[in-house]
Amino acid sequence: MSWKTLNSSVVFENPWMRVYDDDVENPRGGFNRYGWVHFKNRAIAIVPIDSDGNTWLVGQDRYTLGKYSWELPMGGGALNEPPLAAAQRELAEETGLVANDWRELMHVAISNSITDERGIVFVARDLTAGTAAPDETEKLAVRQLPFSEAVKMVLNGDIDDALTATALLRVAIETSASIPRT
């Protein structure tokens, strides 16, 4: 038996998400109240890598966590927008970088116990520097560093954003990059 929705109501909505409060029958036959979030965009993240083995991180204060966070360049892509176009836009907006070589790396369920948000990660290579143009809500710091240092930040807990950590570790494994020990 799978989950069965008995009643569903929208308790909050804005241009980016819709929050539901559902009455459900769970797979074991019990009844529960289940709150969950539907995202109107998909998460798009980019692992930019230059010919010297460097990558770029974006730092910003995250309101929801109440702390500063280092992450890959990322943002939202409309569900009707081609994911690659969203990735190209986000990389240029947040870092000023333009890439001539793109590869889709992976699809990720961001937090599947409370949201239907999906993410797509791209690797961008053959990079050219340009001028960043972040969104009005973003006050970003952009940091270029060796890819291995970014992986070390994940292993040390200095990067705890799930999409960033997953993507960096996946690239490290795929490229047989040395994963530094802390």
Side-chain angles (χ1 to χ4, degrees), residues 70-140:
W70 285 103
E71 306 162 4
L72 288 171
M74 68 176 77
L79 297 177
N80 64 354
E81 178 182 24
L84 178 57
Q88 292 167 331
R89 182 191 68 251
E90 287 297 331
L91 181 63
E93 282 180 5
E94 294 195 353
T95 66
L97 294 171
V98 174
N100 291 314
D101 181 20
W102 288 87
R103 177 174 69 93
E104 188 175 295
L105 178 69
M106 63 194 300
H107 289 235
V108 180
I110 306 297
S111 182
N112 63 10
S113 65
I114 60 165
T115 177
D116 65 356
E117 186 178 26
R118 303 290 298 181
I120 301 176
V121 180
F122 290 87
V123 175
R125 295 182 185 273
D126 190 11
L127 306 172
T128 303
T131 304
D135 291 337
E136 182 271 329
T137 60
E138 298 174 319
K139 183 179 177 186
L140 306 177

Side-chain angles (χ1 to χ4, degrees), residues 3 20 22 35 52 68 91 105 109 118 171 182:
W3 293 89
Y20 289 91
D22 293 354
D52 294 324
Y68 200 80
L91 181 63
L105 178 69
R118 303 290 298 181
V171 171
T182 57

